Amino acid sequence: MKLNNKQLIPQLRFSEFEGEWEKRKLGQLGVFRGGGTPSTTNENYWIGNIPWISSSDISEKDIFNLKITRYLSEEAIDDSATKIIPKGSVLFVSRVGVGKLAVSKIKLCTSQDFANLLPKTDNSFFIAFYFLSKNKLLHQYAQGTSIKGFTTGDLKSIPINCPQLPEQQKIASFLTDVDTKITQITKKKALLEQYKKGVMQKIFKQELRFKPDHSEAEGDEGNAFPEWEEKKLGEVAKFIKGKGLPKSEISDDGKYKCIHYGELFTKYNELINNVISRTNYNDKAILSIENDVLMPTSDVTPNGLATASCLKEPNVILGGDVLIIRQNIKKIEGVYLAYYIKHFRNDVMKLVSGSTVYHLYGSDMKNLKIKTPSIAEQTKIANFLSAIDLKIEALNTKIESSKAFKKGLLQQMFV
């Protein structure tokens, strides 16, 4: 690729192409065809094999994947305003989700919330990627107050800069490959998350047990860990509350590492590998010790409180609304406990109190019944699940970096 900053020439371009792109109007690229919704009270309309989509079946910034769950009969098409939209059409959502668009890979029908472009010769995916790169362009043409939308006439007048067809095809193919890579990594991550969920169920049902290493062997046989014990959490841990740490006191250049309770919802998994935030605020601060398990104590939903993270690092400032579960003696591996709490989140939510704002207290958590294997087996479980999470996080990093790469391409490959 080569770089160029001339007018109507993209910054980033494949080296075999040159010359300026052509200024055109979207209406010059093809014809538009609308859609409709057959009566939902007539069951015969909805038992065919012709796909039908509404605006909710298209995702933001995803021009490939349509969520097709409804199908029409030929009778429905004959008796309603909906029409067959050919394969390769560009599906613009014209109201209730303005800005979303996709390319049809099969023939289908759409609701009346679409204006569908049937290109004459131009590449459909190039057109779709163009509008992804100009994500605010469609919104500029939307009208209305409560429900924003635009007409086919509005769409026809929208300017679009186009290269010749071979360059359109090259751009579309390249960006499609990037999207395919993102999709593949995303699917791999989803499968790994599904695997983790399934294996956790087996572990905590004790259908899957770990065996000790030779140095950990217990008993005469030395090939099995002891049976699990059931205890109340208050028997093996004590509960401490963090001290107020205003968000305004968190800064990138702070002297001390800190954790704000809101970060337990959004930034940390069961094992905190790296403390992100810093502060200079240390007024009578509550500091962590190794193996502390942290939970938020307030949230607008009870589900948000059923989360836990283990902090292995000492001397981290712990803010207010952070519940610290600190073991009395070495009977609980913190990472194991964090996984246990999140797996049995429904049991934790039963302990939550409140209506508009929900709370969780140490006095509630102390009565939570937990099943504990030996420390050696807890450690094996924690290490096993943490290794899966590290793989998931690595895939997530790849996804985010690939999306950032794609965003950069969209900004530079179009005029």
Side-chain angles (χ1 to χ4, degrees), residues 172-214:
S173 177
F174 179 73
L175 291 174
T176 297
D177 288 343
V178 174
D179 259 329
T180 300
K181 178 184 176 183
I182 294 172
T183 299
Q184 288 171 343
I185 301 171
T186 302
K187 286 181 178 178
K188 189 174 180 180
K189 178 191 169 189
L191 288 171
L192 196 53
E193 288 173 332
Q194 186 178 354
Y195 168 74
K196 176 191 168 185
K197 184 178 179 181
V199 80
M200 283 180 71
Q201 289 177 341
K202 290 182 179 294
I203 287 172
F204 290 120
K205 285 182 179 179
Q206 300 176 58
E207 294 174 0
L208 176 62
R209 294 291 304 272
F210 290 82
K211 291 185 177 181
D213 298 330
H214 180 72

Side-chain angles (χ1 to χ4, degrees), residues 29-43:
L29 273 56
V31 297
F32 282 92
R33 187 175 294 177
T37 304
S39 172
T40 55
T41 60
N42 189 330
E43 294 182 1

